Protein backbone atom coordinates (compact mmCIF):
# COMPACT_ATOMS: atom_id res chain seq x y z
CA UNK A 1 0.00 0.00 0.00
CA UNK A 2 1.17 3.56 -0.67
CA UNK A 3 1.10 6.23 2.03
CA UNK A 4 -2.28 7.61 0.94
CA UNK A 5 -3.80 4.16 1.42
CA UNK A 6 -4.18 3.39 -2.28
CA UNK A 7 -2.77 0.22 -3.76
CA UNK A 8 0.82 0.70 -4.96
CA UNK A 9 1.13 -0.23 -8.62
CA UNK A 10 3.78 -0.07 -11.34
CA UNK A 11 6.26 2.82 -11.23
CA UNK A 12 6.79 4.21 -14.74
CA UNK A 13 10.17 5.61 -15.79
CA UNK A 14 9.45 8.97 -17.37
CA UNK A 15 11.59 11.38 -19.41
CA UNK A 16 10.34 14.92 -19.94
CA UNK A 17 12.02 16.86 -22.74
CA UNK A 18 12.09 20.60 -21.98
CA UNK A 19 11.93 22.56 -18.73
CA UNK A 20 9.53 25.22 -20.01
CA UNK A 21 6.28 25.90 -18.16
CA UNK A 22 4.66 22.72 -19.56
CA UNK A 23 7.50 20.33 -18.68
CA UNK A 24 8.02 21.84 -15.24
CA UNK A 25 4.38 21.73 -14.16
CA UNK A 26 4.08 18.12 -15.33
CA UNK A 27 7.18 17.17 -13.34
CA UNK A 28 5.81 18.98 -10.29
CA UNK A 29 2.37 17.36 -10.54
CA UNK A 30 4.03 13.93 -10.73
CA UNK A 31 6.35 14.84 -7.87
CA UNK A 32 3.35 15.56 -5.62
CA UNK A 33 2.31 11.93 -6.24
CA UNK A 34 5.84 10.70 -5.57
CA UNK A 35 6.35 9.72 -9.19
CA UNK A 36 9.89 10.59 -10.18
CA UNK A 37 10.89 11.74 -13.64
CA UNK A 38 13.93 13.19 -15.39
CA UNK A 39 13.63 16.54 -17.17
CA UNK A 40 16.14 17.03 -19.99
CA UNK A 41 16.57 20.74 -20.79
CA UNK A 42 18.60 22.07 -23.72
CA UNK A 43 19.55 25.33 -22.02
CA UNK A 44 22.51 25.27 -19.68
CA UNK A 45 20.94 27.07 -16.70
CA UNK A 46 17.75 28.67 -15.39
CA UNK A 47 18.88 32.19 -16.42
CA UNK A 48 20.27 31.14 -19.81
CA UNK A 49 17.94 33.57 -21.61
CA UNK A 50 15.34 36.20 -20.81
CA UNK A 51 11.92 34.59 -20.41
CA UNK A 52 10.07 37.61 -21.80
CA UNK A 53 7.01 39.42 -20.49
CA UNK A 54 4.12 38.57 -18.30
CA UNK A 55 1.19 36.20 -18.65
CA UNK A 56 -2.14 35.71 -17.00
CA UNK A 57 -3.25 32.39 -15.62
CA UNK A 58 -6.92 31.47 -15.94
CA UNK A 59 -9.15 29.81 -13.34
CA UNK A 60 -10.00 26.47 -14.99
CA UNK A 61 -6.63 25.81 -16.58
CA UNK A 62 -3.48 27.65 -15.37
CA UNK A 63 -4.66 28.43 -11.84
CA UNK A 64 -6.26 25.01 -11.41
CA UNK A 65 -2.92 23.37 -12.24
CA UNK A 66 -1.04 25.64 -9.83
CA UNK A 67 -3.46 24.65 -7.06
CA UNK A 68 -3.29 20.96 -7.96
CA UNK A 69 0.51 21.16 -7.88
CA UNK A 70 0.38 22.49 -4.30
CA UNK A 71 1.95 25.80 -5.35
CA UNK A 72 -0.91 28.17 -4.62
CA UNK A 73 0.68 29.79 -1.56
CA UNK A 74 3.98 30.30 -3.35
CA UNK A 75 2.17 31.60 -6.46
CA UNK A 76 0.45 34.29 -4.37
CA UNK A 77 3.87 35.80 -3.60
CA UNK A 78 4.39 36.61 -7.28
CA UNK A 79 0.81 36.99 -8.61
CA UNK A 80 -0.25 40.52 -9.47
CA UNK A 81 -4.01 40.94 -9.23
CA UNK A 82 -3.54 44.67 -9.83
CA UNK A 83 -2.07 43.58 -13.18
CA UNK A 84 -5.54 42.57 -14.39
CA UNK A 85 -6.19 46.07 -15.74
CA UNK A 86 -6.62 45.81 -19.52
CA UNK A 87 -7.22 48.36 -22.25
CA UNK A 88 -8.03 47.12 -25.74
CA UNK A 89 -7.63 50.03 -28.10
CA UNK A 90 -6.56 51.15 -31.58
CA UNK A 91 -4.01 53.54 -33.06
CA UNK A 92 -6.24 56.52 -32.12
CA UNK A 93 -6.51 55.31 -28.50
CA UNK A 94 -10.24 54.63 -28.79
CA UNK A 95 -11.38 52.57 -25.82
CA UNK A 96 -12.85 49.31 -27.15
CA UNK A 97 -12.57 47.25 -23.96
CA UNK A 98 -11.52 48.29 -20.48
CA UNK A 99 -11.14 45.84 -17.62
CA UNK A 100 -10.53 47.38 -14.23
CA UNK A 101 -7.58 46.72 -11.99
CA UNK A 102 -8.19 43.98 -9.39
CA UNK A 103 -7.05 44.41 -5.80
CA UNK A 104 -3.96 42.52 -4.65
CA UNK A 105 -5.07 39.25 -3.05
CA UNK A 106 -8.64 39.65 -4.27
CA UNK A 107 -10.22 37.87 -7.19
CA UNK A 108 -11.67 39.81 -10.11
CA UNK A 109 -15.33 38.74 -10.06
CA UNK A 110 -15.64 38.72 -13.86
CA UNK A 111 -12.56 36.74 -14.74
CA UNK A 112 -9.88 35.71 -12.29
CA UNK A 113 -6.68 36.12 -14.28
CA UNK A 114 -3.77 37.33 -12.15
CA UNK A 115 -0.58 38.25 -13.99
CA UNK A 116 2.78 36.71 -13.26
CA UNK A 117 6.13 37.48 -14.88
CA UNK A 118 7.28 34.55 -16.99
CA UNK A 119 10.64 34.62 -15.19
CA UNK A 120 8.93 34.35 -11.80
CA UNK A 121 6.71 31.51 -12.96
CA UNK A 122 9.63 29.51 -14.29
CA UNK A 123 11.66 30.10 -11.12
CA UNK A 124 8.73 29.09 -8.93
CA UNK A 125 8.22 25.87 -10.86
CA UNK A 126 11.89 24.92 -11.05
CA UNK A 127 12.42 25.54 -7.34
CA UNK A 128 9.52 23.21 -6.56
CA UNK A 129 11.34 20.26 -8.14
CA UNK A 130 14.13 18.13 -6.72
CA UNK A 131 17.39 19.55 -8.14
CA UNK A 132 18.55 16.14 -9.33
CA UNK A 133 15.46 15.70 -11.53
CA UNK A 134 16.62 18.38 -13.98
CA UNK A 135 19.49 17.74 -16.39
CA UNK A 136 20.64 21.08 -17.87
CA UNK A 137 22.55 21.36 -21.16
CA UNK A 138 20.84 18.26 -22.60
CA UNK A 139 19.63 19.34 -26.03
CA UNK A 140 17.68 16.54 -27.66
CA UNK A 141 18.68 15.92 -31.27
CA UNK A 142 16.44 12.95 -32.05
CA UNK A 143 14.43 10.12 -30.56
CA UNK A 144 15.47 6.74 -31.95
CA UNK A 145 12.64 4.25 -32.23
CA UNK A 146 13.52 0.88 -30.71
CA UNK A 147 11.44 -2.15 -29.70
CA UNK A 148 13.07 -2.34 -26.28
CA UNK A 149 12.31 1.33 -25.48
CA UNK A 150 13.18 4.47 -27.44
CA UNK A 151 16.60 6.09 -27.07
CA UNK A 152 17.21 9.81 -26.62
CA UNK A 153 20.17 11.25 -28.53
CA UNK A 154 21.56 14.56 -27.28
CA UNK A 155 23.72 17.23 -28.94
CA UNK A 156 26.57 16.56 -26.47
CA UNK A 157 26.77 12.94 -27.67
CA UNK A 158 24.98 11.40 -24.69
CA UNK A 159 22.39 8.70 -25.32
CA UNK A 160 19.78 7.92 -22.67
CA UNK A 161 17.30 5.05 -22.71
CA UNK A 162 15.21 2.81 -20.45
CA UNK A 163 12.11 5.01 -20.26
CA UNK A 164 8.51 3.76 -20.34
CA UNK A 165 7.31 7.17 -21.47
CA UNK A 166 8.94 10.13 -23.20
CA UNK A 167 6.96 13.38 -23.00
CA UNK A 168 7.98 16.02 -25.52
CA UNK A 169 7.51 19.42 -23.86
CA UNK A 170 10.17 20.91 -26.13
CA UNK A 171 8.12 23.74 -27.57
CA UNK A 172 7.46 25.03 -31.08
CA UNK A 173 10.28 23.21 -32.89
CA UNK A 174 9.95 19.99 -30.90
CA UNK A 175 12.45 17.30 -31.82
CA UNK A 176 10.25 14.75 -30.05
CA UNK A 177 7.43 15.59 -32.46
CA UNK A 178 9.54 14.61 -35.47
CA UNK A 179 9.34 10.96 -34.35
CA UNK A 180 5.53 11.11 -34.42
CA UNK A 181 4.79 13.07 -37.57
CA UNK A 182 6.55 14.84 -40.45
CA UNK A 183 4.04 17.72 -40.08
CA UNK A 184 5.28 20.85 -38.39
CA UNK A 185 4.66 24.51 -37.67
CA UNK A 186 4.07 27.11 -40.36
CA UNK A 187 4.84 30.83 -40.44
CA UNK A 188 1.77 33.02 -39.83
CA UNK A 189 3.05 35.99 -41.84
CA UNK A 190 3.41 37.96 -38.61
CA UNK A 191 6.47 38.68 -36.53
CA UNK A 192 7.14 40.82 -33.51
CA UNK A 193 9.85 42.99 -32.05
CA UNK A 194 10.08 42.98 -28.27
CA UNK A 195 11.85 45.48 -26.02
CA UNK A 196 11.53 47.06 -22.56
CA UNK A 197 11.09 50.52 -21.08
CA UNK A 198 13.15 50.44 -17.88
CA UNK A 199 11.81 51.94 -14.66
CA UNK A 200 8.79 53.33 -16.48
CA UNK A 201 7.48 55.38 -13.55
CA UNK A 202 10.52 57.64 -13.89
CA UNK A 203 11.53 57.31 -17.55
CA UNK A 204 8.04 57.28 -19.13
CA UNK A 205 5.50 58.54 -16.57
CA UNK A 206 2.71 59.14 -19.11
CA UNK A 207 3.04 55.65 -20.52
CA UNK A 208 3.23 54.24 -17.00
CA UNK A 209 -0.07 55.93 -16.15
CA UNK A 210 -1.71 54.65 -19.31
CA UNK A 211 -0.60 51.06 -18.64
CA UNK A 212 -2.10 51.37 -15.14
CA UNK A 213 0.00 48.44 -13.83
CA UNK A 214 -1.75 46.13 -16.34
CA UNK A 215 -1.76 45.70 -20.11
CA UNK A 216 -2.62 47.63 -23.25
CA UNK A 217 -3.43 45.76 -26.44
CA UNK A 218 -3.61 48.12 -29.43
CA UNK A 219 -4.58 46.97 -32.93
CA UNK A 220 -4.83 48.80 -36.26
CA UNK A 221 -3.97 48.22 -39.93
CA UNK A 222 -2.80 44.62 -39.41
CA UNK A 223 -0.36 45.62 -36.69
CA UNK A 224 -0.47 45.39 -32.91
CA UNK A 225 1.26 46.77 -29.85
CA UNK A 226 1.17 44.86 -26.56
CA UNK A 227 2.40 46.99 -23.65
CA UNK A 228 2.59 45.27 -20.26
CA UNK A 229 3.71 46.07 -16.73
CA UNK A 230 6.42 43.84 -15.28
CA UNK A 231 6.92 43.32 -11.54
CA UNK A 232 10.36 44.96 -11.80
CA UNK A 233 8.77 48.32 -12.71
CA UNK A 234 9.86 47.92 -16.35
CA UNK A 235 7.31 47.92 -19.14
CA UNK A 236 7.41 45.14 -21.73
CA UNK A 237 6.66 46.15 -25.31
CA UNK A 238 5.90 43.88 -28.23
CA UNK A 239 4.99 45.20 -31.69
CA UNK A 240 3.64 42.77 -34.29
CA UNK A 241 3.15 43.27 -37.99
CA UNK A 242 3.37 41.66 -41.41
CA UNK A 243 6.95 40.78 -42.33
CA UNK A 244 8.55 38.11 -44.45
CA UNK A 245 9.81 35.18 -42.38
CA UNK A 246 13.45 36.05 -43.12
CA UNK A 247 13.00 39.82 -42.78
CA UNK A 248 15.48 40.24 -39.91
CA UNK A 249 18.28 38.56 -41.83
CA UNK A 250 17.56 40.12 -45.22
CA UNK A 251 16.65 43.73 -44.32
CA UNK A 252 19.14 46.60 -44.45
CA UNK A 253 18.99 47.41 -40.75
CA UNK A 254 20.84 45.77 -37.88
CA UNK A 255 17.97 43.78 -36.32
CA UNK A 256 19.81 43.47 -33.00
CA UNK A 257 20.33 47.22 -32.63
CA UNK A 258 17.40 48.87 -30.85
CA UNK A 259 18.01 52.34 -32.31
CA UNK A 260 17.93 50.95 -35.89
CA UNK A 261 14.75 48.98 -35.13
CA UNK A 262 13.16 52.11 -33.62
CA UNK A 263 13.65 53.90 -36.96
CA UNK A 264 11.78 51.09 -38.73
CA UNK A 265 8.99 50.99 -36.13
CA UNK A 266 8.51 54.77 -36.14
CA UNK A 267 7.86 54.46 -39.88
CA UNK A 268 5.60 51.37 -39.54
CA UNK A 269 3.56 52.98 -36.73
CA UNK A 270 3.83 56.58 -37.99
CA UNK A 271 0.15 57.53 -37.64
CA UNK A 272 -0.32 55.95 -34.17
CA UNK A 273 -1.02 58.19 -31.17
CA UNK A 274 2.13 59.62 -29.50
CA UNK A 275 1.05 58.14 -26.15
CA UNK A 276 1.43 54.66 -27.66
CA UNK A 277 4.59 55.51 -29.58
CA UNK A 278 6.23 56.47 -26.30
CA UNK A 279 6.51 52.71 -25.67
CA UNK A 280 8.89 52.49 -28.63
CA UNK A 281 10.65 55.82 -28.10
CA UNK A 282 11.45 55.19 -24.42
CA UNK A 283 12.61 51.60 -24.86
CA UNK A 284 16.22 50.86 -23.95
CA UNK A 285 18.56 47.87 -24.03
CA UNK A 286 17.99 44.74 -26.09
CA UNK A 287 15.52 44.21 -28.90
CA UNK A 288 14.37 40.77 -30.00
CA UNK A 289 12.91 39.68 -33.33
CA UNK A 290 10.42 36.81 -33.17
CA UNK A 291 8.62 35.35 -36.18
CA UNK A 292 5.26 33.89 -35.08
CA UNK A 293 4.55 30.28 -36.02
CA UNK A 294 1.63 27.98 -35.34
CA UNK A 295 0.56 24.37 -35.79
CA UNK A 296 -2.54 23.83 -37.94
CA UNK A 297 -5.81 24.08 -35.99
CA UNK A 298 -6.92 20.51 -35.22
CA UNK A 299 -3.34 19.17 -35.36
CA UNK A 300 -2.98 15.51 -34.33
CA UNK A 301 -0.47 12.70 -34.85
CA UNK A 302 -0.81 8.93 -35.12
CA UNK A 303 -0.40 7.52 -31.63
CA UNK A 304 2.92 5.84 -30.93
CA UNK A 305 3.58 3.74 -27.83
CA UNK A 306 6.01 5.25 -25.35
CA UNK A 307 5.98 8.85 -26.66
CA UNK A 308 3.59 11.76 -26.37
CA UNK A 309 3.59 15.57 -26.51
CA UNK A 310 2.37 18.39 -24.33
CA UNK A 311 2.14 22.20 -24.58
CA UNK A 312 3.47 24.13 -27.59
CA UNK A 313 5.01 20.93 -29.00
CA UNK A 314 1.45 19.57 -29.34
CA UNK A 315 -0.53 22.67 -30.31
CA UNK A 316 1.61 25.77 -30.87
CA UNK A 317 -0.58 28.87 -31.14
CA UNK A 318 0.10 32.56 -31.69
CA UNK A 319 -0.03 34.77 -28.58
CA UNK A 320 -3.26 36.54 -29.61
CA UNK A 321 -5.49 34.84 -27.03
CA UNK A 322 -2.84 34.59 -24.31
CA UNK A 323 -3.68 30.96 -23.51
CA UNK A 324 -0.59 28.97 -24.55
CA UNK A 325 0.74 28.43 -21.03
CA UNK A 326 -2.77 27.90 -19.70
CA UNK A 327 -3.35 25.17 -22.27
CA UNK A 328 0.02 23.56 -21.52
CA UNK A 329 -0.87 23.51 -17.80
CA UNK A 330 -4.22 21.90 -18.56
CA UNK A 331 -2.49 19.22 -20.69
CA UNK A 332 -0.16 18.53 -17.76
CA UNK A 333 -3.10 18.01 -15.40
CA UNK A 334 -4.68 15.58 -17.86
CA UNK A 335 -1.46 13.64 -18.37
CA UNK A 336 -0.55 13.54 -14.68
CA UNK A 337 -4.04 12.23 -13.89
CA UNK A 338 -3.55 9.34 -16.34
CA UNK A 339 -0.04 8.51 -15.11
CA UNK A 340 -1.18 8.56 -11.48
CA UNK A 341 -4.14 6.34 -12.34
CA UNK A 342 -1.75 3.92 -14.09
CA UNK A 343 0.58 3.89 -11.10
CA UNK A 344 -2.34 2.84 -8.89
CA UNK A 345 -3.52 0.10 -11.23
CA UNK A 346 -2.56 -3.54 -10.94
CA UNK A 347 -1.67 -3.83 -14.64
CA UNK A 348 1.92 -2.97 -15.51
CA UNK A 349 1.13 -3.30 -19.25
CA UNK A 350 -1.64 -0.69 -19.47
CA UNK A 351 0.36 2.58 -19.53
CA UNK A 352 -0.30 2.97 -23.24
CA UNK A 353 -4.07 2.85 -22.72
CA UNK A 354 -3.74 5.77 -20.31
CA UNK A 355 -1.64 7.75 -22.79
CA UNK A 356 -4.24 7.18 -25.52
CA UNK A 357 -6.90 8.47 -23.09
CA UNK A 358 -4.72 11.54 -22.33
CA UNK A 359 -4.23 12.32 -26.01
CA UNK A 360 -7.98 12.08 -26.70
CA UNK A 361 -8.89 14.55 -23.93
CA UNK A 362 -5.92 16.82 -24.66
CA UNK A 363 -6.76 17.10 -28.39
CA UNK A 364 -10.38 17.90 -27.58
CA UNK A 365 -9.40 20.80 -25.32
CA UNK A 366 -6.41 22.00 -27.35
CA UNK A 367 -8.33 22.12 -30.63
CA UNK A 368 -10.84 24.51 -29.06
CA UNK A 369 -7.97 26.66 -27.75
CA UNK A 370 -6.31 26.68 -31.18
CA UNK A 371 -9.58 27.69 -32.86
CA UNK A 372 -10.10 30.44 -30.30
CA UNK A 373 -6.60 31.81 -30.82
CA UNK A 374 -6.77 31.68 -34.60
CA UNK A 375 -10.12 33.49 -34.42
CA UNK A 376 -8.68 36.22 -32.19
CA UNK A 377 -5.73 36.67 -34.56
CA UNK A 378 -8.02 36.87 -37.59
CA UNK A 379 -10.37 39.31 -35.82
CA UNK A 380 -7.64 41.77 -34.92
CA UNK A 381 -4.75 41.29 -37.37
CA UNK A 382 -6.41 40.11 -40.58
CA UNK A 383 -9.78 41.93 -40.61
CA UNK A 384 -9.72 45.22 -42.52
CA UNK A 385 -10.82 48.09 -40.27
CA UNK A 386 -10.23 46.15 -37.02
CA UNK A 387 -10.92 46.63 -34.18
CA UNK A 388 -13.95 48.75 -35.19
CA UNK A 389 -15.14 46.12 -37.66
CA UNK A 390 -14.44 43.06 -35.52
CA UNK A 391 -14.68 44.03 -31.87
CA UNK A 392 -18.04 42.26 -31.37
CA UNK A 393 -16.71 38.97 -32.74
CA UNK A 394 -13.52 39.30 -30.64
CA UNK A 395 -15.39 40.03 -27.40
CA UNK A 396 -17.99 37.31 -27.93
CA UNK A 397 -15.22 34.79 -28.58
CA UNK A 398 -13.83 35.60 -25.11
CA UNK A 399 -17.21 35.87 -23.34
CA UNK A 400 -18.53 32.58 -24.70
CA UNK A 401 -15.56 30.74 -23.22
CA UNK A 402 -16.75 30.93 -19.62
CA UNK A 403 -20.52 31.11 -20.08
CA UNK A 404 -23.23 28.47 -20.70
CA UNK A 405 -24.31 27.91 -24.32
CA UNK A 406 -27.93 28.89 -23.61
CA UNK A 407 -26.80 32.45 -22.79
CA UNK A 408 -24.89 32.97 -26.05
CA UNK A 409 -27.76 34.28 -28.24
CA UNK A 410 -28.58 36.78 -25.50
CA UNK A 411 -24.91 37.83 -25.13
CA UNK A 412 -24.60 38.21 -28.91
CA UNK A 413 -27.64 40.49 -29.06
CA UNK A 414 -26.41 42.62 -26.15
CA UNK A 415 -22.86 42.97 -27.49
CA UNK A 416 -23.93 43.90 -31.04
CA UNK A 417 -26.59 46.34 -29.82
CA UNK A 418 -24.21 47.90 -27.28
CA UNK A 419 -21.45 48.45 -29.82
CA UNK A 420 -23.89 49.71 -32.44
CA UNK A 421 -24.77 52.54 -30.07
CA UNK A 422 -21.17 53.03 -28.85
CA UNK A 423 -19.86 53.36 -32.41
CA UNK A 424 -22.18 56.30 -33.01
CA UNK A 425 -20.02 58.23 -30.54
CA UNK A 426 -16.43 57.03 -31.23
C1 LIG B 1 4.82 36.95 -27.35
C2 LIG B 1 4.17 35.81 -26.63
C3 LIG B 1 3.30 36.10 -25.58
C4 LIG B 1 2.64 35.06 -24.92
N1 LIG B 1 1.75 35.37 -23.92
C5 LIG B 1 1.08 34.38 -23.29
C6 LIG B 1 0.14 34.67 -22.23
O1 LIG B 1 -0.09 35.81 -21.86
N2 LIG B 1 -0.51 33.62 -21.64
C7 LIG B 1 -0.27 32.33 -22.02
O2 LIG B 1 -0.89 31.42 -21.45
N3 LIG B 1 0.61 32.04 -23.00
C8 LIG B 1 1.29 33.02 -23.65
N4 LIG B 1 2.17 32.71 -24.64
C9 LIG B 1 2.39 31.32 -25.03
C10 LIG B 1 3.40 30.65 -24.12
O3 LIG B 1 4.60 31.35 -24.09
C11 LIG B 1 3.66 29.22 -24.58
O4 LIG B 1 2.46 28.60 -24.93
C12 LIG B 1 4.35 28.42 -23.46
O5 LIG B 1 5.61 28.94 -23.16
C13 LIG B 1 4.45 26.95 -23.85
O6 LIG B 1 5.13 26.25 -22.86
P1 LIG B 1 5.90 24.91 -23.22
O7 LIG B 1 6.52 24.45 -21.96
O8 LIG B 1 5.00 24.01 -23.97
O9 LIG B 1 7.01 25.35 -24.30
P2 LIG B 1 8.22 26.38 -24.15
O10 LIG B 1 7.86 27.52 -23.28
O11 LIG B 1 8.64 26.70 -25.55
O12 LIG B 1 9.35 25.55 -23.42
C14 LIG B 1 10.06 24.56 -24.12
C15 LIG B 1 11.31 24.21 -23.32
O13 LIG B 1 11.96 23.14 -23.99
C16 LIG B 1 13.34 23.45 -24.18
N5 LIG B 1 13.76 22.80 -25.42
C17 LIG B 1 13.45 23.14 -26.69
N6 LIG B 1 14.01 22.29 -27.56
C18 LIG B 1 14.69 21.39 -26.81
C19 LIG B 1 15.50 20.27 -27.13
N7 LIG B 1 15.69 19.91 -28.41
N8 LIG B 1 16.05 19.57 -26.13
C20 LIG B 1 15.86 19.90 -24.83
N9 LIG B 1 15.12 20.97 -24.46
C21 LIG B 1 14.54 21.70 -25.45
C22 LIG B 1 13.36 24.98 -24.27
O14 LIG B 1 14.65 25.49 -23.95
C23 LIG B 1 12.31 25.36 -23.24
O15 LIG B 1 12.83 25.44 -21.95
C24 LIG B 1 2.85 33.71 -25.31
C25 LIG B 1 3.77 33.43 -26.35
C26 LIG B 1 4.40 34.46 -27.02
C27 LIG B 1 5.33 34.13 -28.17
Amino acid sequence: MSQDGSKAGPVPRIAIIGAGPGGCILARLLHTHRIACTVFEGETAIDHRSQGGTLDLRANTGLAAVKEAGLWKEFQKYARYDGESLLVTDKKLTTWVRRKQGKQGQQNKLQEAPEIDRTDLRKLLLESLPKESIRWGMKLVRVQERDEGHALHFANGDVESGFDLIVGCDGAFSKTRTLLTPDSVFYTGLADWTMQVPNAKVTAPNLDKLVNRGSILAYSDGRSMAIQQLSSGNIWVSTSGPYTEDYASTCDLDSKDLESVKVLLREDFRDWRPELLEAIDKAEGDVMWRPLYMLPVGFTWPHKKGVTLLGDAAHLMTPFSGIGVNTAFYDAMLLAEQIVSFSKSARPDCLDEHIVAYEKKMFEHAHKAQKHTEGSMNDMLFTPGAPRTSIESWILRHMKEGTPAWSHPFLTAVVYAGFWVYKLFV
Side-chain angles (χ1 to χ4, degrees):
M1 288 277 205
S2 69
Q3 287 192 5
D4 64 1
S6 59
K7 248 184 359 182
V11 181
R13 289 153 301 172
I14 299 170
I16 295 175
I17 315 297
C24 287
I25 194 84
L26 175 65
R28 170 67 193 184
L29 286 165
L30 295 175
H31 178 65
T32 60
H33 291 275
R34 298 190 185 87
I35 298 173
C37 56
T38 307
V39 184
F40 296 98
E41 167 57 46
E43 291 174 359
T44 49
I46 184 170
D47 53 0
H48 178 87
R49 71 181 156 103
S50 152
Q51 294 300 307
T54 161
L55 47 90
D56 61 287
L57 294 187
R58 314 270 167 96
N60 297 332
T61 51
L63 293 180
V66 168
K67 285 177 188 165
E68 183 121 354
L71 295 172
W72 185 243
K73 223 170 132 195
E74 198 59 22
F75 175 77
Q76 293 300 318
K77 289 186 197 161
Y78 298 102
R80 290 183 285 110
Y81 286 86
D82 61 350
E84 286 178 330
S85 155
L86 171 71
L87 171 66
V88 179
T89 185
D90 57 21
K91 64 182 180 182
K92 294 180 184 154
L93 258 186
T94 314
T95 299
W96 290 108
V97 175
R98 190 183 285 280
R99 185 173 70 197
K100 283 197 181 142
Q101 211 174 49
K103 288 209 174 81
Q104 190 64 24
Q106 278 182 20
Q107 296 179 8
N108 185 320
K109 297 264 179 324
L110 286 176
Q111 187 191 38
E112 187 188 7
E115 291 284 334
I116 182 165
D117 284 16
R118 298 169 72 94
T119 310
D120 291 338
L121 180 64
R122 195 177 197 214
K123 183 167 170 278
L124 162 85
L125 290 170
L126 283 167
E127 285 177 354
S128 76
L129 296 172
K131 274 203 166 53
E132 64 280 6
S133 64
I134 304 186
R135 305 259 316 261
W136 296 95
M138 297 293 278
K139 194 168 179 49
L140 182 76
V141 181
R142 71 185 173 100
V143 185
Q144 182 192 3
E145 197 168 3
R146 298 193 316 199
D147 289 342
E148 68 276 23
H150 308 314
L152 300 171
H153 291 255
F154 293 93
N156 61 6
D158 284 4
V159 180
E160 300 275 345
S161 58
F163 300 104
D164 301 305
L165 179 65
I166 295 162
V167 188
C169 307
D170 42 349
F173 302 98
S174 169
K175 290 283 188 249
T176 318
R177 192 174 57 224
T178 56
L179 179 75
L180 300 171
T181 171
D183 298 337
S184 191
V185 299
F186 65 90
Y187 180 55
T188 57
L190 297 168
D192 64 22
W193 301 95
T194 57
M195 60 209 96
Q196 290 195 33
V197 178
N199 192 11
K201 226 181 190 66
V202 175
T203 60
N206 294 334
L207 179 71
D208 186 69
K209 217 166 143 199
L210 194 66
V211 171
N212 194 21
R213 295 205 53 75
S215 303
I216 298 174
L217 302 175
Y219 304 98
S220 281
D221 311 327
R223 298 185 184 279
S224 73
M225 281 177 88
I227 310 172
Q228 297 183 304
Q229 181 74 52
L230 295 179
S231 62
S232 62
N234 292 2
I235 281 178
W236 170 264
V237 185
S238 162
T239 67
S240 314
Y243 299 94
T244 56
E245 188 177 1
D246 59 356
Y247 181 80
S249 52
T250 54
C251 62
D252 290 337
L253 60 91
D254 176 357
S255 62
K256 292 202 171 79
D257 174 55
L258 179 60
E259 292 312 314
S260 311
V261 174
K262 278 185 182 180
V263 173
L264 168 82
L265 293 179
R266 277 192 207 109
E267 178 58 23
D268 286 350
F269 290 82
R270 61 188 168 280
D271 55 349
W272 288 49
R273 279 282 288 261
E275 292 92 327
L276 293 167
L277 294 180
E278 200 179 343
I280 298 169
D281 290 337
K282 297 283 172 72
E284 284 178 32
D286 295 336
V287 62
M288 206 170 89
W289 156 263
R290 188 171 36 191
L292 297 176
Y293 296 90
M294 62 186 271
L295 280 164
V297 174
F299 180 77
T300 59
W301 59 85
H303 173 75
K304 198 180 276 284
K305 193 175 171 191
V307 188
T308 194
L309 303 175
L310 177 159
D312 279 5
H315 43 65
L316 179 71
M317 298 173 257
T318 60
F320 297 107
S321 282
I323 53 174
V325 167
N326 285 281
T327 312
F329 274 29
Y330 189 76
D331 298 350
M333 280 197 294
L334 293 178
L335 183 53
E337 189 187 358
Q338 291 297 334
I339 295 172
V340 170
S341 159
F342 163 71
S343 73
K344 289 180 178 166
S345 79
R347 290 176 47 215
D349 57 345
C350 74
L351 178 61
D352 199 47
E353 289 169 28
H354 286 273
I355 302 308
V356 170
Y358 154 71
E359 287 174 355
K360 186 166 181 281
K361 286 186 185 169
M362 182 271 291
F363 284 140
E364 212 171 282
H365 180 261
H367 292 169
K368 282 189 199 147
Q370 286 183 304
K371 205 166 157 216
H372 186 283
T373 300
E374 185 188 49
S376 295
M377 176 178 74
N378 289 340
D379 284 342
M380 291 306 196
L381 277 306
F382 293 117
T383 305
R388 177 175 282 273
T389 50
S390 60
I391 189 67
E392 298 90 347
S393 154
W394 188 86
I395 287 192
L396 283 165
R397 203 178 294 290
H398 289 263
M399 286 176 97
K400 283 177 181 174
E401 206 178 60
T403 49
W406 60 261
S407 66
H408 295 172
F410 174 71
L411 285 175
T412 305
V414 169
V415 166
Y416 272 92
F419 274 104
W420 185 83
V421 175
Y422 185 63
K423 284 178 190 174
L424 297 175
F425 299 97
V426 295

